Structures are given as C-alpha cells and as structure tokens.
Amino acid sequence: MRQMYGDNCLSRAQIFRWYAQFKSGVETIEDEARPVHPFSVRNEGLTAKVRKRIQEERCVTVRMMADEFGVNREMIRQIIAEDLGKRKVASRFVLHALSDDQCVLVVAVDKR
C-alpha cells in the first residue's frame, strides 16, 4: 500500500485499530468530540493550597500533598519548583524565609 499511496497511507497499527473498532460495532469514522483546551489541575487555586500547606508544615512531602489534593506527584513537584521557586537540597526544602545575612550564617555553619 505504501508503494501505491506513499506517505498518505495509514500505518499498519492504525489499520489494525480501525479494523478492531469496526469489528466491535463502531461504524463511524469521525473523531470523538474533545474539549477545546486540555484540562489542567495546575491552577492558581492549587498553587495557593500547596504554598499554604508548605508554610503550615515544612516537613510535608510531595507524596503527602499529592494524596491530600488528589493530583499526581509530578504536578505537585512542578508547582513547588516552577511556580513557587523552591528547590530541594539534601532531601529537604530550602528555607526561603531567611534574610541574606541569615543565609550566609547558615552556609557558614554547614561548612564546619
């Protein structure tokens, strides 16, 4: 078929999927309706909840928040890293509430 139709030919896998659909009784070749914009739970509301949860309990884990808010861990990780600008150091979140002078003192103590 590729020799006859070239790049306009369906792939073998797609032909098998269509065959299975027609065999199961689906007779339409139209695509099913999809939402215009993909659904995303990463929004300002969830970001605010994550921020508040981290402020309440510094030792909260990504897994705990994912279970609490009903989203996957990667979504929580992206919110923490990209939206809140926090990063993980030595398996703990870095304290961002310290002043510059306090950060210098913490670094000096850690180097001892």
Side-chain angles (χ1 to χ4, degrees), residues 1-7 9:
M1 286 181 61
R2 283 233 185 253
Q3 292 173 353
M4 183 174 214
Y5 294 107
D7 290 336
C9 181

Side-chain angles (χ1 to χ4, degrees), residues 64-83:
M64 288 168 54
M65 286 189 285
D67 292 341
E68 182 179 333
F69 300 134
V71 296
N72 65 7
R73 290 179 298 191
E74 181 61 18
M75 181 69 62
I76 298 294
R77 190 205 60 77
Q78 287 177 355
I79 289 172
I80 291 171
E82 297 169 10
D83 296 343

Side-chain angles (χ1 to χ4, degrees), residues 32-51:
E32 293 180 5
R34 295 182 183 174
V36 177
H37 299 289
F39 177 72
S40 176
V41 294
R42 187 174 169 188
N43 54 31
E44 291 300 319
L46 183 60
T47 303
K49 288 179 186 178
V50 170
R51 179 183 294 118

